[in-house]
Amino acid sequence: MRVIPLMTAAVVTAGLYYAVIERDALLAFARGEQVSDETASSDVSEPTDASATTAAAAETVVPQAADADKADNSGVRVVALRSTARGIDSAVVLRGQTQAIRQVEVRSETTSTVLSEPLRKGAQVKAGDLLCKLDPGTRPSTLLEAKARLSEAKIRVPEARARLDESRARLKEAQINLTAAAKLSEGGFASETRLASSEAAERSAVAGVATAETGLETTSAGIEAASAQVAAAEKELARLDILAPFDGLLESDTAELGSLMQPGSLCATVIQLETIKLVGYVPETEVNRVTIGAGARAELANGRNVEGKVTFISRSADPTTRTFEVEITVPNPDLAIRDGQTADIVISAEGSKAHYLPQSALTLNNDGQLGVRVVEDDMTVGFYPIQLLRDEASGVWLGGLPEQADVIVVGQDFVVAGVSVAPTYKEVSQ
């Protein structure tokens, strides 16, 4: 019954002996170092006199100092990853929504009642298809009246021209009579009265020519006015047929039969979805990275992925958000993409060099900067702040590091810059 307590006491005694008397040897054994024979012999043998005790103490101290120096030279054990920077396509990430490439509200330009049956929303229409037919009323009569006035004005043109020719002939005759009267008056063969009468006739003929020219211009103006009235009447008749401006879908029913249309009244809303736009807003810090023609992809709220190209970048920032509008054109032949869907957009930008590392390699320095710790050429620790370029499920793409870097991935939280390390290296798995 007393064997077990005796064994327990022996084990405790041995443990206390090694923890107190042989502490250095025990620590060296825990570090994987080999205990020197001199230390072991000095620890086991007991001194017989004072000189032996001093010599044993000296022999014990010297190996302990050597073991300490060896531990310092070996450094802290860490695992480092040999990483080489690789080129990646940087990207601008933003959130936006889909928009129809074209959308218009077709409205009436005149006042009348609808004569046509309505088309229901969702119907496909082609450019030029009739959407709303309006009652012509008295508009055809107005057109006929305008055409009659135009014909009447055109008939007056020959009469006005004949009057002008007659007035010019009278002017020529009056000028001849005046010349003859002036010569006869100079020779004393004609009286002053005849000369004055010839001059009056010449001035009257000049006035007649001016009147005839005015009449011809008035007749021409009448023709133009009549032509304008005809064009206005024809335009008014054309407004009675409200047509689809382009191929698309009806987003609303057309105006109901018998409803009164006035200028500005809505006939129908037509949208075009064969090509669709992705509209997002880029922060002013990244707008210079986006270029016209850059490739882009997006994931819609329903999980569908689409691709397109940047076709528009706003030159004016939104006064509230200080962001710039960007439009991406995406083909949509099957009309599967709807107007107004939410989209997560990624726009390709100029590539850059980056390291692909596990997320666990990231750490903070004493100033709270996010970065990684690396093994320098002199086997000491260095710290580099990083730029997070892209986050993926299996790792992160980081910028701000040298072309070649030995990044500490195990033990980085237990060392600081300047500490000596004993790294174990592994290569990046491609």
Side-chain angles (χ1 to χ4, degrees):
M1 297 297 292
R2 297 182 179 179
V3 175
I4 294 177
L6 291 175
M7 294 179 63
T8 303
V11 172
V12 172
T13 302
L16 291 175
Y17 172 77
Y18 280 102
V20 178
I21 306 301
E22 300 292 339
R23 183 184 63 179
D24 296 331
L26 182 62
L27 293 177
F29 175 77
R31 290 194 297 268
E33 300 173 357
Q34 185 176 1
V35 182
S36 63
D37 295 338
E38 294 181 358
T39 304
S41 61
S42 63
D43 291 339
V44 174
S45 61
E46 296 182 356
T48 56
D49 52 19
S51 61
T53 302
T54 304
E59 291 175 356
T60 303
V61 171
V62 171
Q64 290 176 356
D67 291 341
D69 293 339
K70 185 177 181 181
D72 292 339
N73 292 334
S74 63
V76 180
R77 296 185 180 276
V78 295
V79 177
L81 196 66
R82 292 189 182 276
S83 176
T84 302
R86 290 179 283 171
I88 65 166
D89 290 333
S90 184
V92 177
V93 181
L94 58 148
R95 195 171 181 85
Q97 66 178 8
T98 61
Q99 285 187 8
I101 192 70
R102 301 170 77 180
Q103 178 171 341
V104 63
E105 293 179 342
V106 185
R107 298 180 180 274
S108 173
E109 298 181 75
T110 187
T111 301
S112 188
T113 55
V114 179
L115 296 179
S116 59
E117 292 289 339
L119 301 176
R120 298 307 175 187
K121 54 187 175 183
Q124 288 272 3
V125 295
K126 298 292 184 180
D129 285 355
L130 181 66
L131 299 180
C132 297
K133 177 70 175 180
L134 304 184
D135 183 11
T138 60
R139 293 175 179 84
S141 300
T142 303
L143 176 60
L144 292 175
E145 182 182 358
K147 288 182 177 180
R149 290 178 179 175
L150 177 60
S151 299
E152 181 182 357
K154 289 180 179 179
I155 292 175
R156 293 176 180 175
V157 173
E159 181 182 355
R161 287 179 178 173
R163 290 177 180 174
L164 178 60
D165 293 341
E166 181 182 0
S167 299
R168 288 175 177 172
R170 289 177 179 176
L171 174 62
K172 187 174 182 181
E173 180 183 1
Q175 289 175 344
I176 293 173
N177 292 334
L178 176 61
T179 302
K183 289 183 178 180
L184 291 174
S185 177
E186 290 176 358
F189 298 101
S191 63
E192 293 293 333
T193 303
R194 182 179 176 184
L195 178 61
S197 177
S198 298
E199 290 176 349
E202 191 268 344
R203 287 194 294 271
S204 177
V206 170
V209 170
T211 301
E213 290 177 345
T214 303
L216 180 59
E217 292 177 356
T218 302
T219 303
S220 299
I223 294 175
E224 294 179 358
S227 299
Q229 290 177 359
V230 170
E234 290 176 344
K235 182 65 175 178
E236 187 67 17
L237 281 175
R239 289 171 179 165
L240 299 176
D241 294 336
I242 303 178
L243 310 178
F246 50 78
D247 297 350
L249 292 171
L250 288 180
E251 190 66 10
S252 65
D253 293 342
T254 60
E256 188 60 58
L257 174 65
S259 59
L260 177 63
M261 302 291 287
Q262 295 180 345
S265 297
L266 179 64
C267 170
T269 300
V270 184
I271 63 173
Q272 190 177 71
L273 295 176
E274 284 78 7
T275 302
I276 205 162
K277 297 184 296 184
L278 302 177
V279 180
Y281 293 87
V282 181
E284 57 184 335
T285 56
E286 296 188 341
V287 67
N288 289 334
R289 298 176 57 201
V290 181
T291 58
I292 298 293
R297 64 181 186 274
E299 182 178 357
L300 305 181
N302 58 8
R304 176 170 179 171
N305 293 313
V306 296
E307 295 184 356
K309 293 186 178 296
V310 176
T311 54
F312 172 76
I313 304 173
S314 175
R315 291 288 178 177
S316 176
D318 184 278
T320 304
T321 62
R322 309 305 304 168
T323 56
F324 294 82
E325 182 180 358
V326 174
E327 291 184 1
I328 300 160
T329 302
V330 176
N332 185 33
D334 56 356
L335 307 183
I337 306 175
R338 302 175 182 273
D339 181 29
Q341 288 184 275
T342 303
D344 293 323
I345 305 171
V346 178
I347 303 174
S348 298
E350 185 179 356
S352 60
K353 290 284 189 177
H355 291 261
Y356 187 69
L357 299 171
Q359 295 180 358
S360 59
L362 302 179
T363 186
L364 298 174
N365 65 1
N366 294 333
D367 297 329
Q369 286 182 303
L370 181 65
V372 294
R373 291 191 170 94
V374 301
V375 179
E376 302 286 5
D377 295 338
D378 58 354
M379 294 300 167
T380 59
V381 177
F383 180 84
Y384 284 90
I386 55 89
Q387 300 173 355
L388 183 60
L389 301 180
R390 189 181 300 174
D391 187 2
E392 297 181 357
S394 57
V396 289
W397 290 94
L398 305 178
L401 297 177
E403 185 77 15
Q404 302 282 342
D406 298 336
V407 182
I408 302 174
V409 295
V410 177
Q412 70 273 20
D413 293 328
F414 302 100
V415 292
V416 294
V419 172
S420 298
V421 291
T424 300
Y425 294 98
K426 67 176 183 177
E427 299 293 334
V428 178
S429 59
Q430 301 295 332

